[in-house]
Each structure stands twice: as C-alpha cells, then as structure tokens.
Amino acid sequence: MRPVWEEKPGVAGQAAKGTVLTAVVLVVLVPLWVALVTSLSSRATINAAGGLVFVPRGIDMSAYRIIFAGGQISQALWISTLVTVCGTLVSLLVTIPAAYGLSRPGSVGHRGLLFFFLLTFLIYPGLVPSYLVVTGVGLKDSLWALILPSAINVFNFVVVRAFFQGLPAELLDSARVDGAGEFRILWRIVLPLSKAVVAVVGLFYAVGYWNVWFSALLYIDDNEKFPIQRVLQTFILAGQTPQTSGTAVGTALPPTLAIKMAVVVVTVAPIAAVYPFVQRHFTRGVILGAVKG
Amino acid sequence: MTRTGTTRRRAPLRARLRRDWPLLVMVLPGALLLLVFHYVPTLGNVVAFQDYNPYLGDSALQALVNSPFIGLDNFRALFATPAFWDALWNTLSITAFQLVFFFPLPIALALLLDSVLSRRVRTLVQTIVYLPHFFSWVLVVTFFVQMLGGAGLLAQELRQAGISPPEIMTNPDTFLLLVTAEVVWKDVGWGTIVFLAALSTIDPHLYEAAAADGAGRWRRLWHIALPGLRPVIVLLLILRLGDALSVGFEQFLLQREAVGRQAAEVLDTFVYYHAITTGDYGFGAAAGLFKAAVGLVLILLANKLAHLFGERGVYSRS
C-alpha cells in the first residue's frame, strides 16, 4: 500500500524502474535458461542453432542418461553428495554446541574461549602453512581434507551464538531449576526454538561443501575422488572430455555441448532446489545475528 | 556482551566448574578444530624464516624442526621479485576499481527494491538475484564463458550476423572489467540484504514528516534513507578495506590460464604458483605472511578510522 503522503509516481519513473528490475532479473536467468535448454536439446537442434540453444525444440534426455550412467560425472556427483551431507552434519554438530557453550557470559573460561574463537577473524594463517598442516596430519587424498579445515566457520558461529543469546533467559533458567542438564536443554528447548537459524547456517555450510573446488585442487590428486566442481572445471574450463561409460549401446552419443550443459544443470540444481525454502529466513536469521554479533 | 554476571563470578572455581563443565565439553570440538587448522598453521608461518625442505623429515613437523633458519632471506628474495610487485599492484588496483564500481551497486539496487511497493514483485526479484551468490566460482566462470566466450552465445549470434566477435574472456586489457562484471553478477543481489534490512528499520514517520515539510522523493532519499544506511556502509567499507589484499582467489586462479599472468596474477595466486606448485614453501609463506600482516594493520587502521568518525566499527572495547 502506498502511504497517503507519498506522491504518485510518474509514468516515466515507473517505466524506468520496471526496465531496470527486468534487466537485472534477465541477466541472472538467461545463462541458466540457455544451459537448461541446451542440455535438453538433440544434436539436430544444437546444430541448427549453431551451438547453444535459446528456444527449446523438443526434449532429449540422452545427455542426462549418459552422465548418470556411471563414469566420472556420476562418481563426482556421488562424492560431492557425500562430502556435502557429512560435512554439513559435522559442521552443525561442532558449531551449534560451541555457540551454545559460549552463549552465557560468566561461565568458566567464557572470555578466554570467546576471544580464542573471535581472534580468528583478525589472524589469517596463510595458504602455505595450512597446506603443510593438512598434508602433515595425513589428509592428502582424503575427503576429510575437504571437510575438517573448514568444519567450523566463525561467522556462522557468531550468528548462531547471537541467536541463542536472544532467547528468553527465564525459559532456560526454569529448565535448569527443574534439573535439566545443559545437553538436554540444548536439545529439547533451544534447538526447537532455533529452526530458522539452523536452517540458514546449515544451508551456508551445505553450499560451501557442494561448491568446494580449491581444496580439492590442493589436496585431492586421485580423480576417483574429485568432487563435481573439480570435474566441471577440468572439462568445461580446461576443455577435456569427460570419461563416460555406457557408450557401447549403439545409439549415437549426444553432442558434447549437451553433456557439458547437463553437468552445469546438475551442479546448479541442488542449490536452486533447496535455497528458496531457506531464503525467507535470511533476513531474520542472519542479519539479526550479524548486527548483534 | 553487556551482562556482567557478577553474581556468577563470586562462586569458587570448583563450584563453577561443576556447574559449567557441560558447556566446556560443548565448546571443545570447535576449539580443537580451530587450534589444529587455524592456530597451528598460524604458528607454522615460521617457515617464512626458514629454508624449509619437506624432505628433511618424515612429517611436516620434523621437516620444520630440521630446516635451517635463514632470517629474512625469503623476504629479501620476495621483495626482489618483480612478479610479486606486479601481483600486489594488480590486487590493489582490482580492489580500488571494485570499490568504485561494485560497492555502490548493491546500495542502489536496495534503494530501488525498497521503493517497489508490491511485496510479491519484491520477493520474486530478491529470490532470483540472491541465487548466483550460492554458485561456485567454477560455475560463475562457466556461465561467463558460455555467454561471452569465443564459442559462447554472444559470439555465436554475432558470427551469424556477420560480425567478428570481440575477445572478452581472454583479453588481458579488459580483464578488470570482466572480473568486476563477474563479481556484480554473483553478488550484487546478495549485497542488498544488509542494506534492505537497514532500510526497513528506518522509522516511516521520518519520511512522512519530511514529505509534509515539502521534501520530494529525491530529497527524502538523500536526507533520510542514505543517512539511515550510513552505519552499515561504514561497517562494510571497513571490512572491505581490511580485506583489501584479498580479491576472489578462485575467480583469478580459474582465469589465470586464459588471460595470462600479467593481468590475472593477484597475491593469492602468486603464493599458490610460487609455493605449492614449485615446492618453494619458505618463499610462499613469506608472501602469505606479508599479506596477513598488512591485512591486520589495515583492519586495525580502518576500525580506528571508524571510531574517529563516531561509528561503532567492527569491534569495540566495551
């Protein structure tokens, strides 16, 4: 509703606003659309378009059949799913208790430990020593190298902690009077009240693990263990052809371009599928936390 | 942070420990991870003062103990390397360029979105423009190659129209524009969140009173909305300044091959190429330590500056 005191916008102003917003939205959506349509196009459609396809003509799923039939891409998708699920679980299991444990000023060691956590914002260890430590503790070529070094993100810790500090203290105190231990309070009282912030922070972690690329470049040499981003980089940006199995069926192989775009689509899909459900919590869960922290 | 907890503090340590040990147990895993993967590497920066040789022991720690100290030789070698100064210059010019051509855009977009009255349109636009923030750099660069590269959609259309397409993805001269365009595509939407939140906290009566006093649309923007955003703008400027030596690392690593070292080498990629790929760890650590030290000084300076301007800054003593 327009407030009564606000003047009516001019036609030119409205048109300009609409144009700018439409342009912004299109700039985001067109590349996604082109990738999707091209991945679903047959060889004839791609040849007729001279490459990437903008206008869909029929649906051809053969590119997806190829990448899910086994081979390097299926393997990478499996690895990325594994890393994302395990990593997010580990991260939440570390971050949430730490945030709760440091949410009460005056508990033993509170100041020192909090300082220990927050100081990491100011100190940056550097690539070389981190590399030496991660390889030094024997994580070279282990998927844990993609998880453990980034398992706790101090920004996320601050967000969760600020949220916990905003919960009504009387609620926790009365549970304590009733004899509930801290673990029980966290599990039974605090967590059910914190679904929004856990969803947001969980999404941040999950996206981080799904997107992991540089850590894999550093620590993973075995291409059986490549996550999807690493495969995407080697064969789209560096121009190698992926090894796919199931080529001996006798049917013509779908064009490489369709396969490439299908990989792009399956890399985007999990993010695009999960994020809208969490989006409505962003402002409430994150900004409040960040501002208070 | 403001609660003092004096009543708790008077209890003897043993009693407090008996009461608080579960909290300490909860903090322990996170603290251990930070110790191993953050603080140990921070101490590991001593290799910057060593002629570090990974083959001098069975483990990194043994090699560290056995490697000879050479004082500031690595730093001397670093400062005598022209490629290092090129990388530093590239980093700083990219930061400066993006401060001017990226930083104001989320503010403008947030003001624009804030003026859209229809909730549904607003939410729809927000949902779409936030999305690229969650894409990896591999994906973002892939999309740019797909749209603007030599075999991309733009080149394809231009060729069909009989025009020879310009080189965009591989041209070192326009690389600064390209990387900024990529950052805009990825993060302009996400950047609006914090500004939109700040705008929503401005008291609507201020606008109404200003309108009653005859202030038009633009004057209300200038005298009410922008001052309302000031603390957030200062905060983000500080964070950016403290991070002046970091520009999207993966973004540059991914495109360094295509445009060449001259344009795409930044401090982080310099460390990667001069330490990890060549095994010259001491030299690379020196570059990393230089970066970390300058970054620390920058953020402390910026915070001081914020206090001088009467803003809260990132942290304060209270």
Side-chain angles (χ1 to χ4, degrees):
Chain A
M1 268 297 285
R2 181 184 307 285
V4 281
W5 47 265
E6 194 173 322
E7 55 276 65
K8 270 210 152 50
V11 178
Q14 281 295 75
K17 216 187 261 182
T19 314
V20 172
L21 285 179
T22 314
V24 170
V25 164
L26 282 182
V27 164
V28 173
L29 289 184
V30 164
L32 305 183
W33 171 254
V34 169
L36 180 67
V37 172
T38 308
S39 75
L40 291 168
S41 292
S42 63
R43 182 177 291 276
T45 319
I46 287 177
N47 285 343
L52 294 159
V53 185
F54 192 80
V55 187
R57 276 193 195 82
I59 287 180
D60 185 334
M61 297 291 285
S62 53
Y64 290 93
R65 271 199 288 278
I66 290 288
I67 65 173
F68 285 117
Q72 202 181 0
I73 296 160
S74 305
Q75 175 69 13
L77 284 171
W78 161 242
I79 294 285
S80 278
T81 309
L82 191 73
V83 168
T84 305
V85 171
C86 295
T88 308
L89 272 177
V90 169
S91 286
L92 289 177
L93 280 174
V94 172
T95 308
I96 292 172
Y100 180 74
L102 287 177
S103 66
R104 212 163 328 130
S107 66
V108 175
H110 177 267
R111 276 180 81 94
L113 281 168
L114 189 61
F115 185 71
F116 184 82
F117 274 67
L118 297 184
L119 189 64
T120 57
F121 275 128
L122 291 183
I123 294 178
Y124 164 78
L127 178 61
V128 172
S130 300
Y131 176 81
L132 294 177
V133 167
V134 173
T135 51
V137 295
L139 291 181
K140 183 92 184 169
D141 257 335
S142 157
L143 292 181
W144 288 109
L146 309 182
I147 295 177
L148 291 179
S150 53
I152 181 159
N153 175 305
V154 179
F155 174 78
N156 289 343
F157 159 83
V158 167
V159 169
V160 179
R161 178 176 172 271
F163 187 90
F164 287 168
Q165 288 195 315
L167 293 175
E170 308 80 49
L171 200 64
L172 308 187
D173 284 339
S174 67
R176 233 165 264 135
V177 170
D178 291 343
E182 298 293 349
F183 285 99
R184 207 181 153 79
I185 294 175
L186 173 60
W187 183 249
R188 284 291 169 83
I189 299 172
V190 172
L191 274 186
L193 291 172
S194 312
K195 283 181 192 141
V197 76
V198 171
V200 171
V201 167
L203 176 80
F204 287 168
Y205 276 129
V207 167
Y209 288 119
W210 183 257
N211 285 345
V212 71
W213 170 70
F214 180 61
S215 302
L217 181 69
L218 270 185
Y219 302 126
I220 310 289
D221 292 336
D222 176 1
N223 58 13
E224 291 276 294
K225 291 180 182 162
F226 275 4
I228 188 69
Q229 309 287 346
R230 184 79 174 86
V231 171
L232 189 66
Q233 175 241 333
T234 50
F235 100 87
I236 293 198
L237 295 178
Q240 294 168 13
T241 318
Q243 301 146 0
T244 47
S245 67
T247 49
V249 199
T251 52
L253 217 62
T256 327
L257 189 62
I259 300 183
K260 284 183 175 181
M261 288 306 123
V263 179
V264 170
V265 172
V266 293
T267 312
V268 171
I271 295 171
V274 176
Y275 136 88
F277 295 101
V278 186
Q279 190 219 338
R280 63 200 171 94
H281 300 305
F282 281 160
T283 325
R284 218 170 31 148
V286 175
I287 301 306
L288 286 181
V291 169
K292 273 197 221 143
Chain B
M1 290 286 237
T2 46
R3 265 186 291 168
T4 49
T6 41
T7 46
R8 286 172 181 282
R9 212 147 279 195
R10 288 207 186 104
L13 185 66
R14 284 246 321 257
R16 284 167 61 212
L17 256 181
R18 197 173 320 131
R19 187 193 63 205
D20 288 342
W21 70 265
L23 299 179
L24 292 176
V25 172
M26 290 179 185
V27 177
L28 191 66
L32 272 179
L33 282 173
L34 288 181
L35 180 72
V36 174
F37 294 109
H38 201 98
Y39 286 104
V40 170
T42 303
L43 294 177
N45 271 306
V46 290
V47 299
F49 305 96
Q50 284 187 325
D51 182 15
Y52 179 79
N53 180 349
Y55 301 109
L56 284 178
D58 297 329
S59 67
L61 185 67
Q62 237 176 22
L64 187 95
V65 173
N66 292 339
S67 294
F69 277 91
I70 52 168
L72 295 175
D73 280 6
N74 283 325
F75 290 91
R76 266 183 220 115
L78 180 70
F79 296 146
T81 308
F84 167 73
W85 297 108
D86 291 347
L88 183 63
W89 172 249
N90 278 345
T91 311
L92 288 175
S93 45
I94 290 161
T95 297
F97 188 82
Q98 294 188 348
L99 210 55
V100 178
F101 292 98
F102 172 70
F103 191 81
L105 291 181
I107 304 175
L109 186 59
L111 289 168
L112 184 64
L113 277 172
D114 194 55
S115 75
V116 172
L117 288 170
S118 154
R119 264 195 94 80
R120 205 182 293 163
V121 173
R122 227 167 103 166
T123 315
L124 181 71
V125 175
Q126 279 173 298
T127 306
I128 293 167
V129 297
Y130 291 170
L131 185 63
H133 171 76
F134 296 98
F135 294 167
S136 64
W137 273 113
V138 181
L139 260 180
V140 174
V141 175
T142 301
F143 280 129
F144 269 76
V145 169
Q146 173 205 326
M147 301 311 289
L148 307 176
L153 194 66
L154 179 72
Q156 191 180 304
E157 296 304 313
L158 286 178
R159 249 183 243 117
Q160 274 169 7
I163 307 165
S164 78
E167 267 188 34
I168 298 172
M169 299 305 293
T170 51
N171 187 347
D173 299 326
T174 54
F175 187 61
L176 194 55
L177 292 173
L178 174 69
V179 289
T180 308
E182 289 166 352
V183 171
V184 170
W185 191 77
K186 191 175 196 288
D187 276 328
V188 72
W190 185 250
T192 61
I193 282 197
V194 63
F195 296 114
L196 282 171
L199 283 172
S200 71
T201 60
I202 296 176
D203 184 356
H205 290 113
L206 287 177
Y207 290 111
E208 192 178 348
D213 288 344
R217 198 180 295 283
W218 294 103
R219 297 199 61 150
R220 292 201 301 271
L221 182 78
W222 184 254
H223 290 291
I224 298 170
L226 280 178
L229 292 180
R230 203 178 98 126
V232 183
I233 294 176
V234 171
L235 182 75
L236 291 183
L237 274 176
I238 294 173
L239 290 175
R240 192 65 205 97
L241 191 62
D243 233 12
L245 297 188
S246 307
V247 282
F249 172 42
E250 296 195 343
Q251 186 189 8
F252 289 89
L253 197 56
L254 282 163
Q255 297 179 94
R256 188 176 172 277
E257 294 285 298
V259 292
R261 182 188 79 70
Q262 268 312 323
E265 189 89 292
V266 292
L267 275 183
D268 286 324
T269 57
F270 177 86
V271 173
Y272 177 73
Y273 278 101
H274 286 81
I276 307 291
T277 54
T278 60
D280 197 351
Y281 296 112
F283 181 80
L289 197 58
F290 171 84
K291 188 194 154 200
V294 175
L296 182 63
V297 171
L298 281 177
I299 194 135
L300 294 175
L301 265 180
N303 205 58
K304 193 107 210 149
L305 215 63
H307 288 312
L308 284 181
F309 279 106
E311 303 287 352
R312 247 186 82 218
V314 185
Y315 55 87
S316 49
R317 272 177 204 286
S318 68

